[in-house]
Amino acid sequence: ADDKSREPLERHRWLSTAASLGRGTERPLRELGEVCLVLQRDQEALQWLLKAFSQPGGNSDVDVAHTLSKLYTRAGRVEEALDVYRSSLAAVPDNLSLSRSYGQLLLKQGRASEAIQVIQRTARLSAAPDAAALHITLAELHQGLGQMREALEAWESAASLDGNNAAAWKGLVAAASALGDSTTQLRALTKLSMLEPGVADWPAQHAALLLREDPGSREAEIHLERALRLNPSHVDALVGLGRLRSGREALDLF
């Protein structure tokens, strides 16, 4: 074997000897687990990393927690992987990467209600751009569970944390529409028209909402004209403008 392949084997040998003599404190045990990973000995790596994690204070080692959880997951032992995250978060409750990974693993297991609680907590720990993305995830989870009011609140949080995030405003439009909240829809559509000025759907949808309240709305007509400048064949805008003007002409006859 060449020098490069011999080096991890030699480290494995002397670290194993130290561990067998009872000298395996948290750091050497972690190093032994890492060497096993290099040697592609996952089962042995899991054994040593678990010993390192079980040492006093070992569950505060975030890197060990992540690696141990991945090894458990790879072996199909998901509940044990989740237990690692729970234990580590008990030791370092403000760690963002642990919270995020824990929530993601719960999501992969289809445990949406549990994941929501974890992601909410993670969002509170995160800086604005990351928090916005987490609130989008929350909104999608709430929608999947049919919790539209909670979804609307999550979309609102995402949009307020990152005002230029078009996905957040689009989600807000959809959630507000499902709840019949036209005021929020109009506010979100106004923002989307600013963020995506070349998209005809936004002024067209804005006009449709205004026409529900006032079939002869001049403001709605302005939005429809803008939509048709952007997309002359936009069906909803063509229909809306046609109805508005025919209605106005009918009124003029009287």
Side-chain angles (χ1 to χ4, degrees):
D2 58 28
D3 290 341
K4 288 184 179 179
S5 62
R6 205 163 38 233
E7 183 181 345
L9 285 169
E10 290 174 354
R11 289 191 68 218
H12 179 272
R13 189 176 300 114
W14 66 259
L15 284 167
S16 297
T17 301
S20 67
L21 293 174
R23 299 171 189 165
T25 57
E26 185 268 334
R27 183 176 175 183
L29 288 169
R30 169 182 168 169
E31 290 178 1
L32 182 52
E34 290 169 347
V35 169
C36 290
L37 288 174
V38 172
L39 295 171
Q40 298 183 336
R41 300 178 183 179
D42 283 8
Q43 191 57 43
E44 188 181 351
L46 193 153
Q47 170 194 334
W48 294 118
L49 289 171
L50 181 58
K51 285 186 177 182
F53 191 74
S54 302
Q55 296 291 309
N59 61 345
S60 64
D61 189 322
V62 174
D63 291 335
V64 170
H66 280 304
T67 305
L68 193 54
S69 182
K70 287 175 184 176
L71 287 169
Y72 274 131
T73 303
R74 198 181 301 165
R77 299 162 65 179
V78 176
E79 199 56 47
E80 287 164 285
L82 291 169
D83 283 340
V84 168
Y85 283 129
R86 293 186 193 106
S87 175
S88 200
L89 280 167
V92 280
D94 293 337
N95 188 275
L96 179 58
S97 67
L98 283 174
S99 294
R100 183 183 286 114
S101 296
Y102 181 34
Q104 288 171 344
L105 186 53
L106 285 167
L107 274 180
K108 288 178 183 177
Q109 300 307 306
R111 294 160 68 166
S113 296
E114 292 174 76
I116 283 172
Q117 295 178 23
V118 175
I119 295 169
Q120 283 174 331
R121 182 179 174 282
T122 308
R124 288 194 293 270
L125 299 173
S126 304
D130 288 336
L134 289 167
H135 278 290
I136 287 174
T137 300
L138 277 175
E140 292 168 344
L141 285 171
H142 282 303
Q143 285 182 183
L145 295 171
Q147 300 167 346
M148 295 309 298
R149 178 58 60 187
E150 290 84 353
L152 180 72
E153 291 172 1
W155 288 121
E156 283 275 22
S157 295
S160 65
L161 286 163
D162 185 358
N164 292 325
N165 190 320
W169 291 104
K170 290 173 186 176
L172 188 56
V173 168
S177 176
L179 290 168
D181 184 348
S182 59
T183 301
T184 299
Q185 279 182 272
L186 288 169
R187 176 165 52 85
L189 287 166
T190 298
K191 183 66 175 182
L192 281 168
S193 291
M194 295 168 61
L195 292 174
E196 298 181 345
V199 177
D201 281 347
W202 310 138
Q205 288 184 41
H206 198 135
L209 286 170
L210 293 172
L211 289 171
R212 288 181 195 172
E213 301 296 324
D214 177 7
S217 169
R218 174 57 187 155
E219 185 183 353
E221 185 174 18
I222 292 169
H223 284 293
L224 290 168
E225 289 171 346
R226 179 185 175 192
L228 290 170
R229 283 196 298 273
L230 293 168
N231 180 2
S233 60
H234 194 287
V235 175
D236 290 341
L238 285 168
V239 171
L241 191 59
R243 286 177 178 170
L244 187 152
R245 288 179 174 167
S246 62
R248 187 178 293 157
E249 289 170 2
L251 288 173
D252 288 343
L253 293 175
F254 296 94

mmCIF file of all heavy atoms in Angstrom, residues 165-212:
data_model
loop_
_atom_site.group_PDB
_atom_site.id
_atom_site.type_symbol
_atom_site.label_atom_id
_atom_site.label_comp_id
_atom_site.label_asym_id
_atom_site.label_seq_id
_atom_site.Cartn_x
_atom_site.Cartn_y
_atom_site.Cartn_z
ATOM 1 N N ASN A 165 -38.791 38.723 -2.086
ATOM 2 C CA ASN A 165 -38.963 37.297 -2.369
ATOM 3 C C ASN A 165 -40.307 37.086 -3.055
ATOM 4 O O ASN A 165 -41.356 37.056 -2.415
ATOM 5 C CB ASN A 165 -38.884 36.498 -1.059
ATOM 6 C CG ASN A 165 -38.822 34.999 -1.295
ATOM 7 O OD1 ASN A 165 -39.492 34.470 -2.170
ATOM 8 N ND2 ASN A 165 -38.011 34.329 -0.505
ATOM 9 N N ALA A 166 -40.263 36.944 -4.374
ATOM 10 C CA ALA A 166 -41.508 36.817 -5.145
ATOM 11 C C ALA A 166 -42.300 35.576 -4.739
ATOM 12 O O ALA A 166 -43.536 35.596 -4.734
ATOM 13 C CB ALA A 166 -41.197 36.787 -6.638
ATOM 14 N N ALA A 167 -41.607 34.495 -4.391
ATOM 15 C CA ALA A 167 -42.306 33.268 -3.999
ATOM 16 C C ALA A 167 -43.180 33.500 -2.773
ATOM 17 O O ALA A 167 -44.289 32.956 -2.674
ATOM 18 C CB ALA A 167 -41.294 32.156 -3.724
ATOM 19 N N ALA A 168 -42.690 34.296 -1.853
ATOM 20 C CA ALA A 168 -43.476 34.592 -0.648
ATOM 21 C C ALA A 168 -44.744 35.364 -0.997
ATOM 22 O O ALA A 168 -45.835 35.065 -0.489
ATOM 23 C CB ALA A 168 -42.632 35.381 0.345
ATOM 24 N N TRP A 169 -44.624 36.345 -1.886
ATOM 25 C CA TRP A 169 -45.800 37.142 -2.270
ATOM 26 C C TRP A 169 -46.782 36.318 -3.087
ATOM 27 O O TRP A 169 -48.009 36.476 -2.947
ATOM 28 C CB TRP A 169 -45.354 38.384 -3.038
ATOM 29 C CG TRP A 169 -44.620 39.366 -2.178
ATOM 30 C CD1 TRP A 169 -43.269 39.594 -2.140
ATOM 31 C CD2 TRP A 169 -45.194 40.250 -1.201
ATOM 32 N NE1 TRP A 169 -42.965 40.549 -1.203
ATOM 33 C CE2 TRP A 169 -44.121 40.978 -0.610
ATOM 34 C CE3 TRP A 169 -46.492 40.500 -0.763
ATOM 35 C CZ2 TRP A 169 -44.326 41.927 0.384
ATOM 36 C CZ3 TRP A 169 -46.695 41.447 0.228
ATOM 37 C CH2 TRP A 169 -45.630 42.149 0.790
ATOM 38 N N LYS A 170 -46.282 35.426 -3.929
ATOM 39 C CA LYS A 170 -47.182 34.549 -4.700
ATOM 40 C C LYS A 170 -47.956 33.624 -3.763
ATOM 41 O O LYS A 170 -49.160 33.389 -3.952
ATOM 42 C CB LYS A 170 -46.373 33.733 -5.716
ATOM 43 C CG LYS A 170 -45.804 34.555 -6.851
ATOM 44 C CD LYS A 170 -44.864 33.720 -7.717
ATOM 45 C CE LYS A 170 -44.173 34.587 -8.761
ATOM 46 N NZ LYS A 170 -43.182 33.821 -9.568
ATOM 47 N N GLY A 171 -47.238 33.082 -2.769
ATOM 48 C CA GLY A 171 -47.917 32.233 -1.796
ATOM 49 C C GLY A 171 -48.969 32.999 -1.021
ATOM 50 O O GLY A 171 -50.051 32.473 -0.720
ATOM 51 N N LEU A 172 -48.666 34.257 -0.723
ATOM 52 C CA LEU A 172 -49.606 35.096 0.010
ATOM 53 C C LEU A 172 -50.862 35.349 -0.818
ATOM 54 O O LEU A 172 -51.989 35.326 -0.297
ATOM 55 C CB LEU A 172 -48.931 36.413 0.384
ATOM 56 C CG LEU A 172 -49.691 37.354 1.323
ATOM 57 C CD1 LEU A 172 -50.072 36.647 2.617
ATOM 58 C CD2 LEU A 172 -48.846 38.588 1.622
ATOM 59 N N VAL A 173 -50.700 35.577 -2.121
ATOM 60 C CA VAL A 173 -51.861 35.757 -3.007
ATOM 61 C C VAL A 173 -52.753 34.524 -2.973
ATOM 62 O O VAL A 173 -53.980 34.618 -2.813
ATOM 63 C CB VAL A 173 -51.407 36.036 -4.456
ATOM 64 C CG1 VAL A 173 -52.587 35.931 -5.426
ATOM 65 C CG2 VAL A 173 -50.779 37.414 -4.573
ATOM 66 N N ALA A 174 -52.135 33.350 -3.110
ATOM 67 C CA ALA A 174 -52.912 32.111 -3.167
ATOM 68 C C ALA A 174 -53.636 31.840 -1.846
ATOM 69 O O ALA A 174 -54.814 31.456 -1.838
ATOM 70 C CB ALA A 174 -51.995 30.943 -3.518
ATOM 71 N N ALA A 175 -52.932 32.032 -0.729
ATOM 72 C CA ALA A 175 -53.551 31.780 0.575
ATOM 73 C C ALA A 175 -54.676 32.772 0.850
ATOM 74 O O ALA A 175 -55.740 32.397 1.359
ATOM 75 C CB ALA A 175 -52.492 31.846 1.674
ATOM 76 N N ALA A 176 -54.438 34.036 0.517
ATOM 77 C CA ALA A 176 -55.473 35.053 0.726
ATOM 78 C C ALA A 176 -56.700 34.776 -0.141
ATOM 79 O O ALA A 176 -57.846 34.982 0.285
ATOM 80 C CB ALA A 176 -54.906 36.439 0.420
ATOM 81 N N SER A 177 -56.461 34.279 -1.344
ATOM 82 C CA SER A 177 -57.570 33.933 -2.233
ATOM 83 C C SER A 177 -58.407 32.804 -1.639
ATOM 84 O O SER A 177 -59.646 32.850 -1.659
ATOM 85 C CB SER A 177 -57.026 33.522 -3.603
ATOM 86 O OG SER A 177 -58.065 33.085 -4.454
ATOM 87 N N ALA A 178 -57.730 31.795 -1.085
ATOM 88 C CA ALA A 178 -58.441 30.667 -0.481
ATOM 89 C C ALA A 178 -59.288 31.098 0.710
ATOM 90 O O ALA A 178 -60.332 30.499 0.989
ATOM 91 C CB ALA A 178 -57.437 29.596 -0.046
ATOM 92 N N LEU A 179 -58.838 32.147 1.394
ATOM 93 C CA LEU A 179 -59.557 32.633 2.572
ATOM 94 C C LEU A 179 -60.511 33.782 2.252
ATOM 95 O O LEU A 179 -61.188 34.297 3.142
ATOM 96 C CB LEU A 179 -58.552 33.090 3.637
ATOM 97 C CG LEU A 179 -57.740 31.970 4.302
ATOM 98 C CD1 LEU A 179 -56.584 32.562 5.103
ATOM 99 C CD2 LEU A 179 -58.630 31.119 5.192
ATOM 100 N N GLY A 180 -60.545 34.202 0.980
ATOM 101 C CA GLY A 180 -61.418 35.300 0.591
ATOM 102 C C GLY A 180 -60.966 36.649 1.126
ATOM 103 O O GLY A 180 -61.790 37.553 1.318
ATOM 104 N N ASP A 181 -59.672 36.800 1.321
ATOM 105 C CA ASP A 181 -59.114 38.043 1.868
ATOM 106 C C ASP A 181 -58.637 38.920 0.709
ATOM 107 O O ASP A 181 -57.465 38.887 0.329
ATOM 108 C CB ASP A 181 -57.960 37.698 2.818
ATOM 109 C CG ASP A 181 -57.362 38.913 3.514
ATOM 110 O OD1 ASP A 181 -57.671 40.047 3.098
ATOM 111 O OD2 ASP A 181 -56.564 38.727 4.457
ATOM 112 N N SER A 182 -59.540 39.709 0.166
ATOM 113 C CA SER A 182 -59.210 40.497 -1.030
ATOM 114 C C SER A 182 -58.237 41.629 -0.720
ATOM 115 O O SER A 182 -57.425 42.012 -1.571
ATOM 116 C CB SER A 182 -60.483 41.053 -1.668
ATOM 117 O OG SER A 182 -61.185 41.863 -0.751
ATOM 118 N N THR A 183 -58.284 42.160 0.485
ATOM 119 C CA THR A 183 -57.374 43.248 0.851
ATOM 120 C C THR A 183 -55.918 42.776 0.793
ATOM 121 O O THR A 183 -55.050 43.461 0.235
ATOM 122 C CB THR A 183 -57.697 43.775 2.266
ATOM 123 O OG1 THR A 183 -59.041 44.239 2.284
ATOM 124 C CG2 THR A 183 -56.754 44.908 2.650
ATOM 125 N N THR A 184 -55.661 41.602 1.365
ATOM 126 C CA THR A 184 -54.301 41.051 1.332
ATOM 127 C C THR A 184 -53.910 40.681 -0.087
ATOM 128 O O THR A 184 -52.767 40.894 -0.501
ATOM 129 C CB THR A 184 -54.207 39.823 2.254
ATOM 130 O OG1 THR A 184 -54.506 40.225 3.593
ATOM 131 C CG2 THR A 184 -52.810 39.214 2.220
ATOM 132 N N GLN A 185 -54.857 40.132 -0.857
ATOM 133 C CA GLN A 185 -54.565 39.810 -2.251
ATOM 134 C C GLN A 185 -54.109 41.042 -3.027
ATOM 135 O O GLN A 185 -53.118 41.001 -3.761
ATOM 136 C CB GLN A 185 -55.802 39.228 -2.936
ATOM 137 C CG GLN A 185 -56.044 37.762 -2.676
ATOM 138 C CD GLN A 185 -57.273 37.293 -3.438
ATOM 139 O OE1 GLN A 185 -58.398 37.383 -2.945
ATOM 140 N NE2 GLN A 185 -57.066 36.833 -4.651
ATOM 141 N N LEU A 186 -54.844 42.136 -2.879
ATOM 142 C CA LEU A 186 -54.519 43.358 -3.612
ATOM 143 C C LEU A 186 -53.137 43.880 -3.216
ATOM 144 O O LEU A 186 -52.364 44.318 -4.075
ATOM 145 C CB LEU A 186 -55.586 44.424 -3.351
ATOM 146 C CG LEU A 186 -56.940 44.189 -4.018
ATOM 147 C CD1 LEU A 186 -57.981 45.165 -3.481
ATOM 148 C CD2 LEU A 186 -56.822 44.315 -5.534
ATOM 149 N N ARG A 187 -52.856 43.824 -1.927
ATOM 150 C CA ARG A 187 -51.538 44.292 -1.458
ATOM 151 C C ARG A 187 -50.416 43.431 -2.045
ATOM 152 O O ARG A 187 -49.388 43.956 -2.506
ATOM 153 C CB ARG A 187 -51.503 44.249 0.073
ATOM 154 C CG ARG A 187 -50.162 44.613 0.680
ATOM 155 C CD ARG A 187 -50.297 44.901 2.176
ATOM 156 N NE ARG A 187 -50.976 43.826 2.885
ATOM 157 C CZ ARG A 187 -50.364 42.739 3.352
ATOM 158 N NH1 ARG A 187 -49.061 42.578 3.146
ATOM 159 N NH2 ARG A 187 -51.032 41.815 4.017
ATOM 160 N N ALA A 188 -50.622 42.133 -2.054
ATOM 161 C CA ALA A 188 -49.591 41.231 -2.580
ATOM 162 C C ALA A 188 -49.444 41.379 -4.093
ATOM 163 O O ALA A 188 -48.330 41.351 -4.634
ATOM 164 C CB ALA A 188 -49.932 39.787 -2.215
ATOM 165 N N LEU A 189 -50.555 41.551 -4.792
ATOM 166 C CA LEU A 189 -50.493 41.726 -6.253
ATOM 167 C C LEU A 189 -49.806 43.038 -6.625
ATOM 168 O O LEU A 189 -49.087 43.104 -7.630
ATOM 169 C CB LEU A 189 -51.898 41.666 -6.839
ATOM 170 C CG LEU A 189 -52.528 40.267 -6.859
ATOM 171 C CD1 LEU A 189 -54.026 40.361 -7.127
ATOM 172 C CD2 LEU A 189 -51.839 39.397 -7.905
ATOM 173 N N THR A 190 -50.018 44.066 -5.828
ATOM 174 C CA THR A 190 -49.320 45.340 -6.067
ATOM 175 C C THR A 190 -47.811 45.135 -5.958
ATOM 176 O O THR A 190 -47.039 45.638 -6.791
ATOM 177 C CB THR A 190 -49.783 46.401 -5.054
ATOM 178 O OG1 THR A 190 -51.185 46.628 -5.229
ATOM 179 C CG2 THR A 190 -49.023 47.706 -5.243
ATOM 180 N N LYS A 191 -47.396 44.395 -4.940
ATOM 181 C CA LYS A 191 -45.965 44.127 -4.757
ATOM 182 C C LYS A 191 -45.416 43.262 -5.887
ATOM 183 O O LYS A 191 -44.318 43.526 -6.405
ATOM 184 C CB LYS A 191 -45.741 43.438 -3.411
ATOM 185 C CG LYS A 191 -44.286 43.181 -3.075
ATOM 186 C CD LYS A 191 -43.523 44.478 -2.882
ATOM 187 C CE LYS A 191 -42.084 44.208 -2.425
ATOM 188 N NZ LYS A 191 -41.343 45.464 -2.192
ATOM 189 N N LEU A 192 -46.166 42.261 -6.305
ATOM 190 C CA LEU A 192 -45.706 41.392 -7.393
ATOM 191 C C LEU A 192 -45.570 42.159 -8.702
ATOM 192 O O LEU A 192 -44.660 41.899 -9.501
ATOM 193 C CB LEU A 192 -46.661 40.208 -7.568
ATOM 194 C CG LEU A 192 -46.488 39.077 -6.556
ATOM 195 C CD1 LEU A 192 -47.651 38.109 -6.635
ATOM 196 C CD2 LEU A 192 -45.168 38.342 -6.786
ATOM 197 N N SER A 193 -46.451 43.118 -8.931
ATOM 198 C CA SER A 193 -46.345 43.937 -10.143
ATOM 199 C C SER A 193 -45.070 44.763 -10.146
ATOM 200 O O SER A 193 -44.517 45.071 -11.209
ATOM 201 C CB SER A 193 -47.568 44.862 -10.265
ATOM 202 O OG SER A 193 -48.732 44.118 -10.529
ATOM 203 N N MET A 194 -44.593 45.112 -8.950
ATOM 204 C CA MET A 194 -43.328 45.843 -8.832
ATOM 205 C C MET A 194 -42.134 44.906 -8.994
ATOM 206 O O MET A 194 -41.138 45.246 -9.640
ATOM 207 C CB MET A 194 -43.262 46.539 -7.476
ATOM 208 C CG MET A 194 -44.306 47.633 -7.281
ATOM 209 S SD MET A 194 -44.423 48.173 -5.555
ATOM 210 C CE MET A 194 -42.756 48.800 -5.299
ATOM 211 N N LEU A 195 -42.240 43.711 -8.416
ATOM 212 C CA LEU A 195 -41.128 42.762 -8.474
ATOM 213 C C LEU A 195 -40.990 42.121 -9.852
ATOM 214 O O LEU A 195 -39.887 41.816 -10.295
ATOM 215 C CB LEU A 195 -41.328 41.657 -7.425
ATOM 216 C CG LEU A 195 -41.215 42.065 -5.958
ATOM 217 C CD1 LEU A 195 -41.578 40.898 -5.052
ATOM 218 C CD2 LEU A 195 -39.799 42.552 -5.640
ATOM 219 N N GLU A 196 -42.127 41.887 -10.515
ATOM 220 C CA GLU A 196 -42.127 41.238 -11.830
ATOM 221 C C GLU A 196 -42.959 42.082 -12.807
ATOM 222 O O GLU A 196 -44.062 41.707 -13.203
ATOM 223 C CB GLU A 196 -42.694 39.820 -11.719
ATOM 224 C CG GLU A 196 -41.863 38.915 -10.809
ATOM 225 C CD GLU A 196 -42.401 37.496 -10.710
ATOM 226 O OE1 GLU A 196 -43.569 37.243 -11.103
ATOM 227 O OE2 GLU A 196 -41.656 36.631 -10.236
ATOM 228 N N PRO A 197 -42.423 43.240 -13.189
ATOM 229 C CA PRO A 197 -43.207 44.190 -14.005
ATOM 230 C C PRO A 197 -43.542 43.681 -15.398
ATOM 231 O O PRO A 197 -44.405 44.269 -16.068
ATOM 232 C CB PRO A 197 -42.290 45.421 -14.071
ATOM 233 C CG PRO A 197 -40.909 44.895 -13.813
ATOM 234 C CD PRO A 197 -41.081 43.759 -12.866
ATOM 235 N N GLY A 198 -42.898 42.625 -15.828
ATOM 236 C CA GLY A 198 -43.187 42.104 -17.163
ATOM 237 C C GLY A 198 -44.223 40.995 -17.185
ATOM 238 O O GLY A 198 -44.499 40.422 -18.245
ATOM 239 N N VAL A 199 -44.805 40.661 -16.040
ATOM 240 C CA VAL A 199 -45.783 39.566 -15.959
ATOM 241 C C VAL A 199 -47.198 40.138 -16.019
ATOM 242 O O VAL A 199 -47.606 40.910 -15.145
ATOM 243 C CB VAL A 199 -45.586 38.745 -14.664
ATOM 244 C CG1 VAL A 199 -46.651 37.659 -14.554
ATOM 245 C CG2 VAL A 199 -44.188 38.123 -14.646
ATOM 246 N N ALA A 200 -47.955 39.739 -17.042
ATOM 247 C CA ALA A 200 -49.304 40.285 -17.248
ATOM 248 C C ALA A 200 -50.324 39.755 -16.243
ATOM 249 O O ALA A 200 -51.351 40.398 -15.997
ATOM 250 C CB ALA A 200 -49.768 39.962 -18.667
ATOM 251 N N ASP A 201 -50.073 38.603 -15.658
ATOM 252 C CA ASP A 201 -51.043 38.009 -14.730
ATOM 253 C C ASP A 201 -51.335 38.910 -13.539
ATOM 254 O O ASP A 201 -52.470 38.946 -13.045
ATOM 255 C CB ASP A 201 -50.533 36.660 -14.213
ATOM 256 C CG ASP A 201 -50.747 35.548 -15.213
ATOM 257 O OD1 ASP A 201 -51.495 35.760 -16.181
ATOM 258 O OD2 ASP A 201 -50.166 34.466 -15.026
ATOM 259 N N TRP A 202 -50.311 39.626 -13.051
ATOM 260 C CA TRP A 202 -50.518 40.393 -11.826
ATOM 261 C C TRP A 202 -51.497 41.555 -12.008
ATOM 262 O O TRP A 202 -52.448 41.675 -11.240
ATOM 263 C CB TRP A 202 -49.184 40.863 -11.249
ATOM 264 C CG TRP A 202 -48.158 39.779 -11.120
ATOM 265 C CD1 TRP A 202 -46.824 39.854 -11.419
ATOM 266 C CD2 TRP A 202 -48.364 38.433 -10.656
ATOM 267 N NE1 TRP A 202 -46.190 38.656 -11.188
ATOM 268 C CE2 TRP A 202 -47.118 37.754 -10.715
ATOM 269 C CE3 TRP A 202 -49.477 37.717 -10.215
ATOM 270 C CZ2 TRP A 202 -46.953 36.422 -10.344
ATOM 271 C CZ3 TRP A 202 -49.319 36.384 -9.850
ATOM 272 C CH2 TRP A 202 -48.081 35.756 -9.905
ATOM 273 N N PRO A 203 -51.318 42.411 -13.016
ATOM 274 C CA PRO A 203 -52.333 43.466 -13.200
ATOM 275 C C PRO A 203 -53.690 42.894 -13.592
ATOM 276 O O PRO A 203 -54.736 43.465 -13.236
ATOM 277 C CB PRO A 203 -51.741 44.357 -14.296
ATOM 278 C CG PRO A 203 -50.688 43.542 -14.967
ATOM 279 C CD PRO A 203 -50.169 42.608 -13.920
ATOM 280 N N ALA A 204 -53.706 41.755 -14.294
ATOM 281 C CA ALA A 204 -54.982 41.148 -14.682
ATOM 282 C C ALA A 204 -55.736 40.656 -13.452
ATOM 283 O O ALA A 204 -56.964 40.870 -13.325
ATOM 284 C CB ALA A 204 -54.743 40.002 -15.659
ATOM 285 N N GLN A 205 -55.036 40.010 -12.549
ATOM 286 C CA GLN A 205 -55.681 39.528 -11.318
ATOM 287 C C GLN A 205 -56.115 40.703 -10.440
ATOM 288 O O GLN A 205 -57.167 40.659 -9.796
ATOM 289 C CB GLN A 205 -54.724 38.624 -10.555
ATOM 290 C CG GLN A 205 -54.496 37.265 -11.187
ATOM 291 C CD GLN A 205 -53.607 36.374 -10.340
ATOM 292 O OE1 GLN A 205 -53.719 36.331 -9.127
ATOM 293 N NE2 GLN A 205 -52.701 35.651 -10.998
ATOM 294 N N HIS A 206 -55.270 41.734 -10.403
ATOM 295 C CA HIS A 206 -55.602 42.933 -9.626
ATOM 296 C C HIS A 206 -56.914 43.538 -10.135
ATOM 297 O O HIS A 206 -57.817 43.882 -9.347
ATOM 298 C CB HIS A 206 -54.457 43.936 -9.759
ATOM 299 C CG HIS A 206 -54.455 44.989 -8.704
ATOM 300 N ND1 HIS A 206 -53.308 45.373 -8.042
ATOM 301 C CD2 HIS A 206 -55.452 45.761 -8.194
ATOM 302 C CE1 HIS A 206 -53.619 46.321 -7.165
ATOM 303 N NE2 HIS A 206 -54.899 46.579 -7.250
ATOM 304 N N ALA A 207 -57.027 43.634 -11.436
ATOM 305 C CA ALA A 207 -58.239 44.202 -12.044
ATOM 306 C C ALA A 207 -59.459 43.349 -11.720
ATOM 307 O O ALA A 207 -60.542 43.883 -11.424
ATOM 308 C CB ALA A 207 -58.057 44.318 -13.548
ATOM 309 N N ALA A 208 -59.309 42.031 -11.793
ATOM 310 C CA ALA A 208 -60.444 41.144 -11.528
ATOM 311 C C ALA A 208 -61.004 41.361 -10.121
ATOM 312 O O ALA A 208 -62.226 41.360 -9.915
ATOM 313 C CB ALA A 208 -60.019 39.694 -11.711
ATOM 314 N N LEU A 209 -60.110 41.567 -9.154
ATOM 315 C CA LEU A 209 -60.556 41.817 -7.780
ATOM 316 C C LEU A 209 -61.287 43.154 -7.671
ATOM 317 O O LEU A 209 -62.319 43.268 -7.002
ATOM 318 C CB LEU A 209 -59.355 41.798 -6.833
ATOM 319 C CG LEU A 209 -58.754 40.423 -6.524
ATOM 320 C CD1 LEU A 209 -57.429 40.578 -5.782
ATOM 321 C CD2 LEU A 209 -59.722 39.593 -5.685
ATOM 322 N N LEU A 210 -60.750 44.155 -8.338
ATOM 323 C CA LEU A 210 -61.387 45.470 -8.293
ATOM 324 C C LEU A 210 -62.767 45.452 -8.946
ATOM 325 O O LEU A 210 -63.704 46.106 -8.473
ATOM 326 C CB LEU A 210 -60.498 46.503 -8.991
ATOM 327 C CG LEU A 210 -59.161 46.826 -8.306
ATOM 328 C CD1 LEU A 210 -58.306 47.702 -9.212
ATOM 329 C CD2 LEU A 210 -59.393 47.509 -6.962
ATOM 330 N N LEU A 211 -62.910 44.680 -10.014
ATOM 331 C CA LEU A 211 -64.181 44.614 -10.731
ATOM 332 C C LEU A 211 -65.267 43.902 -9.929
ATOM 333 O O LEU A 211 -66.464 44.115 -10.173
ATOM 334 C CB LEU A 211 -63.987 43.929 -12.081
ATOM 335 C CG LEU A 211 -63.205 44.750 -13.121
ATOM 336 C CD1 LEU A 211 -62.880 43.909 -14.340
ATOM 337 C CD2 LEU A 211 -64.003 45.991 -13.518
ATOM 338 N N ARG A 212 -64.858 43.058 -8.994
ATOM 339 C CA ARG A 212 -65.857 42.417 -8.128
ATOM 340 C C ARG A 212 -66.569 43.466 -7.272
ATOM 341 O O ARG A 212 -67.755 43.344 -6.971
ATOM 342 C CB ARG A 212 -65.187 41.391 -7.214
ATOM 343 C CG ARG A 212 -64.706 40.132 -7.904
ATOM 344 C CD ARG A 212 -64.091 39.189 -6.887
ATOM 345 N NE ARG A 212 -63.314 38.142 -7.522
ATOM 346 C CZ ARG A 212 -62.550 37.275 -6.855
ATOM 347 N NH1 ARG A 212 -62.480 37.357 -5.537
ATOM 348 N NH2 ARG A 212 -61.874 36.341 -7.502
#
